[in-house]
Amino acid sequence: MDFFSKDEQLEKLGNGILETTWAKFPTLARNQISMTWIVYDPPVLVNTGGALTPDAFWTHPVRGFAYRGVERIYPASIVKLFYLVAAHEWLEKGMTQPSQELERAMRDAIVESSNDAISLIVDVLSGTTSGPELPAGPFDTWKYQRQIVNRYYKSLGWTELETINICQKTWCDGPYGRERAFYGQMLENRNMLTTNATARLLHSIVGGVAVSSVRSQSMMGLLKRDIDPKLLPQEVEEDQVTGFLGAGLPENAQLWSKAGWTSQVRHDAAYIEVPDLRPYSLVVFTEGKAQAKSREILPFVSQQVVEAIRSIE
């Protein structure tokens, strides 16, 4: 049971967006893109500073569209969003203590997409550290501890989270030592997410019900992006707007997002507000070397979604 309901209007619009995208980018195969799109009809229940209780929020129906929304895909840095929520949960429950370094890591993981920052957060969440390979007994204990974030997400009981895997750090050069052993011989223990799972987590943050309303607002603060081209850094290879969903938005739009990219994937998860239009969440994952390099596909999809939203009465 999805957290959103499907309807004819969004199915038609969503499929139209995808067909237009495939026509524009012939090298994009039909199994190289996944998308979940949630539209917030009035009265809008999100970005209200946590005005609704979690019970009221989750019973409020929302409409959505998904294409391959349940496909497990390597998420790259999108997983940092899940670690951010987990870190807030640990802090809220007193499972870890607040510290300047943890705060700095949470900020840098989302704002700058720092892999080093996530390394610290995963260590804090799991009570493990990277290092050389371990003997069998200690390694079993280490592996069990490293699965704690997966156990937390399973405990939420969301069907969207049943197939995901969140237990690995994100890397620049790749894992070594015990981290490499933990990946499995064929990398079968890699992080895996779906666009539906990501959309639901983003929905909970924007709705003010991820951990608590105050913590959700704090997370929203980190996710806020400036989309004015004049204000974007010129030298940075990836700024989480250029080449991503934010680049397809009108300049008066507001964007909260977390992007992810490697040489094999290019993804983005965003909550978007355009004046006079319905707000919406959009999660798009693309796979394949050519797609990972392309700075045109995600902005194009984003542009099409804005046009589709304009057409909704």
Side-chain angles (χ1 to χ4, degrees), residues 232 237-248 259-261 266-268 286 291-300:
L232 293 172
E237 189 190 336
E238 303 287 4
D239 55 36
Q240 301 193 71
V241 175
T242 310
F244 296 97
L245 297 174
W261 64 93
R266 181 176 284 258
H267 307 326
D268 204 0
T286 61
Q291 282 58 254
K293 274 192 189 137
S294 172
R295 289 172 167 236
E296 285 77 50
I297 296 173
L298 292 181
F300 182 81

Side-chain angles (χ1 to χ4, degrees), residues 1-138:
M1 179 71 184
D2 293 322
F3 72 97
F4 58 89
S5 59
K6 297 177 179 180
D7 71 9
E8 203 178 330
Q9 184 186 42
L10 291 187
E11 289 296 305
K12 192 175 170 191
L13 289 170
N15 286 320
I17 289 162
L18 288 166
E19 292 298 340
T20 309
T21 304
W22 286 315
K24 171 89 172 167
F25 302 99
T27 59
L28 176 68
R30 288 180 179 248
N31 66 348
Q32 287 181 317
I33 185 168
S34 299
M35 168 175 155
T36 305
W37 174 34
I38 308 299
V39 176
Y40 297 112
D41 298 308
V44 175
L45 76 159
V46 292
N47 207 7
T48 58
L52 291 179
T53 65
D55 285 350
F57 179 78
W58 288 117
T59 53
H60 201 294
V62 287
R63 291 193 296 155
F65 166 83
Y67 174 75
R68 300 179 75 244
V70 298
E71 293 297 323
R72 298 172 83 244
I73 294 166
Y74 179 69
S77 290
I78 296 280
V79 77
K80 291 169 182 167
L81 197 54
F82 285 76
Y83 284 133
L84 176 70
V85 172
H88 275 287
E89 176 72 16
W90 269 230
L91 287 163
E92 183 76 7
K93 296 283 195 300
M95 291 161 67
T96 193
Q97 294 309 305
S99 73
Q100 277 186 327
E101 280 302 278
L102 181 55
E103 286 297 321
R104 184 168 76 98
M106 287 158 72
R107 180 203 168 276
D108 291 352
I110 302 302
V111 178
E112 313 294 346
S113 207
S114 163
N115 291 336
D116 291 343
I118 274 298
S119 181
L120 174 80
I121 292 169
V122 173
D123 288 349
V124 168
L125 292 172
S126 64
T128 63
T129 53
S130 303
E133 287 149 293
L134 291 165

